[in-house]
């Protein structure tokens, strides 16, 4: 039951006005950054190799900056750690993540942007 609750949030990565990619927030960790070892690889020089991580436990997901060069922003406020809520806008460099209600349409797998 708790894992079902955690999977009810979805996260979409958007580049400019593209909302087509949806990454599921499920129990565990997602690493975002330029490194090919990250779960979500963002190929942009304004994003650090290991920029941030999103961790979901039970029904709570939070994002944590991993000492990135340019910082992690939630709704344009720089954060070190933040509990995610629906409609939060996460910015890493030029890229944005939108936290959505509802299940994602794709599995949590490696994505390149």
């Amino acid at each position: 039951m708790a894992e079902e609750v955690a999977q009810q949030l979805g996260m979409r990565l958007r580049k400019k006005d593209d909302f087509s990619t949806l990454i599921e927030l499920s129990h565990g960790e997602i690493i975002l950054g330029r490194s090919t070892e990250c779960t979500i690889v963002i190929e942009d020089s304004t994003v650090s190799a290991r920029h941030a991580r999103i961790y979901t436990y039970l029904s709570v997901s939070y994002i944590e900056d991993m000492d990135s060069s340019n910082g992690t922003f939630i709704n344009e406020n720089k954060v070190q750690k933040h509990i995610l809520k629906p409609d939060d806008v996460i910015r890493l460099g030029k890229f944005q993540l939108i936290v959505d209600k509802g299940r994602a349409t794709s599995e949590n797998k490696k994505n390149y942007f």
Side-chain angles (χ1 to χ4, degrees):
M1 173 83 173
E3 191 165 333
E4 288 176 13
V5 172
Q7 290 179 355
Q8 289 176 357
L9 286 178
M11 179 182 67
R12 331 187 240 207
L13 177 64
R14 104 176 150 169
K15 182 179 178 183
K16 297 184 181 175
D17 295 324
D18 179 9
F19 292 95
S20 61
T21 303
L22 194 59
I23 310 299
E24 186 170 330
L25 288 179
S26 58
H27 186 74
E29 181 179 73
I30 297 171
I31 303 291
L32 303 101
R34 247 185 16 252
S35 170
T36 57
E37 296 175 5
C38 293
T39 313
I40 299 174
V41 179
I42 302 171
E43 296 174 339
D44 186 275
S45 62
T46 63
V47 175
S48 295
R50 292 176 54 88
H51 197 105
R53 75 181 190 132
I54 296 175
Y55 189 79
T56 301
Y57 181 73
L58 299 175
S59 63
V60 178
S61 296
Y62 68 87
I63 187 164
E64 181 176 21
D65 186 79
M66 298 177 75
D67 297 321
S68 65
S69 297
N70 294 319
T72 298
F73 294 81
I74 304 293
N75 303 322
E76 293 305 318
N77 297 308
K78 191 172 184 178
V79 298
Q80 181 59 39
K81 187 183 274 189
H82 177 83
I83 294 175
L84 295 173
K85 299 175 289 304
D87 300 324
D88 275 346
V89 178
I90 303 164
R91 182 170 59 80
L92 311 173
K94 297 185 290 185
F95 291 86
Q96 292 185 348
L97 303 157
I98 309 296
V99 179
D100 275 338
K101 278 187 173 179
R103 290 182 60 89
T105 57
S106 65
E107 294 182 21
N108 182 7
K109 58 184 178 184
K110 184 165 291 224
N111 290 281
Y112 288 82
F113 299 95

